[in-house]
Amino acid sequence: MELEVRHLRALCAIADAGSLHKAARQLGMSQPSLTTQLRRIENSLGAELFSRGRTGCRPTPLGRSLLSRARPLVADMAALVTETRAAAARAAGPGLRVGSTASRALPGWLRRLRQRLPGTEVGLQVDVSAHGLLRMVAAGQLDVAFVHEVEGCPLRVPEGLVERVLVAREPQFVSMARDHPAAARPVVDLTDLADDHWMVDPTVDGEWDGLRRVLHAAGIDPPLLHGDYHTAASLIVLGEAVAPCQPTSGPRDDMAVRPLRGDPLAVRLLLYARPGAPLDVLYAELAAAYREAALRATPYREWLRSQGTAAGLSVGPCLTAV
C-alpha cells in the first residue's frame, strides 16, 4: 500500500485528538474504519506509529518523526486545494455557497436570500457535522455556514471566520410515539423516559456526548441506540425509541414533540462566514426565517409563550420579548 495524503491526514487527526474515537468523528468516519486504516498504514511501514492504551493513543518516537514531516505536506495540500477552488469560484462568477446542519429554518432562509440577492446563484451544502462545514468555510469551499453547538461540547472553530450568534440557548425537545404515556403531558421529565430506548446519531458533533452527560446528571441510564434520524423516526412512531429533536420540528399525526422539564438539553445556533461575505444580510434573513419556523411549531410557540417571548420573538444572543 502506498501512503496518500488522506492517510497522512488521518495520522495527524489521531495525534491531535488523542484517541481513535475522537479522530474518527472529526474525519467523518467510523472508529472501526479508522482503526483498520491505521493498522494498514502501520503494516505497510513495518512499524507501530501509535501506542494504544486506556487513556487513548500517543505517537511512538517513530510516529512523532513521521508526523513532523507529514504535517507540512497536509497543510500544503490543503492550501493548494483551497487556492484552486477559490480561483475556480471566481471564474464561475457571482454566487453564494451556503452550508448548514439540518434546520427547519433552512428553506425559508434560502427563499429569502434568493429574493434579497437577485442574480446571485445560491448553492447549498447540508451536513450533519458542524466541524465539517466550518472546515469547508475555512477552506474556501463555502461562504457561510449555519451550525449548532451542543451545550457542553464547544466547537473547534478555524481561525479567520466571522461569528454571529443567532440563539444563545435553544432548548431541545423530545419526540415520542403519539400514544406514549408521557405524550399526555405538556412537559416531560427525563425520568419519565428512563425505561425507553433513546436514539442518537453519533455522527452529529457533540450529540452523543451531550445526551450522555444530561442523562447521567439526571441519574438515569437508559438503553441507547445509534443511528441517523430518518431511522429514528420510523422507530419512534412504533414506540420503539424516543429521541432529542429541534423545537422547530413540524407536527406529525403519528409523533408527539414535547419540551423537557428544566430544558436540560440545549444547543447554541451560530452563523460563521468568510471575511467579505454579506454577513449582515445573511444574518438578517436567517433570523427572519428562524422566527417564522419557531412560531409555526406549536410546542415551541407554547414554550416561548411560557417564557414570555412568543409575542415578539426576537432572535439574537437570546430569545427575548421586544
Side-chain angles (χ1 to χ4, degrees):
M1 183 187 80
E2 293 186 2
L3 279 184
E4 303 174 11
V5 174
R6 63 187 178 93
H7 298 138
L8 300 181
R9 188 179 298 113
L11 294 177
C12 293
I14 296 170
D16 293 339
S19 79
L20 287 166
H21 173 67
K22 292 180 180 179
R25 289 173 56 189
Q26 293 176 17
L27 294 168
M29 59 193 302
S30 68
Q31 180 176 334
S33 296
L34 182 58
T35 301
T36 299
Q37 187 176 88
L38 175 58
R39 188 179 300 114
R40 289 174 178 170
I41 293 171
E42 291 179 326
N43 288 341
S44 71
L45 295 175
E48 188 177 68
L49 301 177
F50 290 89
S51 58
R52 286 79 145 176
R54 296 183 63 182
T55 58
C57 291
R58 296 292 181 270
T60 63
L62 182 60
R64 287 194 294 271
S65 176
L66 185 148
L67 286 164
S68 68
R69 302 186 65 178
R71 292 187 189 278
L73 295 175
V74 171
D76 287 346
M77 179 57 72
L80 173 62
V81 172
T82 298
E83 292 166 7
T84 303
R85 284 174 172 160
R90 289 192 295 270
L96 181 65
R97 298 161 299 171
V98 173
S100 179
T101 49
S103 171
R104 291 281 177 172
L106 188 54
W109 187 31
L110 294 180
R111 171 176 50 81
R112 287 175 170 275
L113 287 176
R114 287 172 178 142
Q115 293 172 348
R116 182 77 177 269
L117 303 171
T120 299
E121 180 64 28
V122 180
L124 175 64
Q125 172 77 34
V126 176
D127 198 311
V128 297
S129 172
H131 284 125
L133 291 170
L134 294 180
R135 286 194 294 268
M136 293 180 72
V137 177
Q141 300 169 250
L142 294 173
D143 298 303
V144 61
F146 173 41
V147 300
H148 69 272
E149 177 185 75
V150 176
E151 193 168 69
C153 304
L155 294 173
R156 298 178 301 279
V157 181
E159 293 183 4
L161 303 189
V162 183
E163 175 194 280
R164 292 288 292 273
V165 179
L166 184 75
V167 178
R169 193 174 194 273
E170 180 195 67
Q172 298 299 280
F173 289 1
V174 63
S175 56
M176 64 193 77
R178 177 64 66 178
D179 59 356
H180 191 291
R185 295 186 285 277
V187 179
V188 177
D189 287 292
L190 275 175
T191 52
D192 295 333
L193 309 173
D195 296 327
D196 287 280
H197 286 79
W198 281 75
M199 190 101 183
V200 64
D201 187 344
T203 64
V204 178
D205 296 323
E207 194 96 344
W208 160 236
D209 292 334
L211 178 61
R212 182 172 54 181
R213 175 180 56 81
V214 167
L215 294 175
H216 179 74
I220 61 176
D221 186 23
L224 296 173
L225 303 175
H226 291 173
D228 64 83
Y229 285 107
H230 292 294
T231 303
S234 62
L235 293 177
I236 290 168
V237 298
L238 295 174
E240 295 296 324
V242 299
C245 68
Q246 297 175 10
T248 51
S249 298
R252 288 181 51 157
D253 293 337
D254 54 1
M255 189 182 296
V257 173
R258 298 288 183 269
L260 291 166
R261 191 175 306 281
D263 307 314
L265 283 169
V267 301
R268 198 161 62 124
L269 302 183
L270 304 161
L271 186 66
Y272 287 98
R274 290 170 56 79
L279 187 56
D280 288 342
V281 171
L282 293 166
Y283 181 84
E285 299 304 335
L286 176 58
Y290 181 85
R291 186 179 299 109
E292 288 179 351
L295 297 180
R296 191 165 53 239
T298 301
Y300 196 20
R301 186 173 65 247
E302 292 176 351
W303 181 90
L304 290 166
R305 185 176 295 114
S306 73
Q307 307 297 309
T309 60
L313 177 60
S314 175
V315 180
C318 60
L319 298 179
T320 57
V322 297

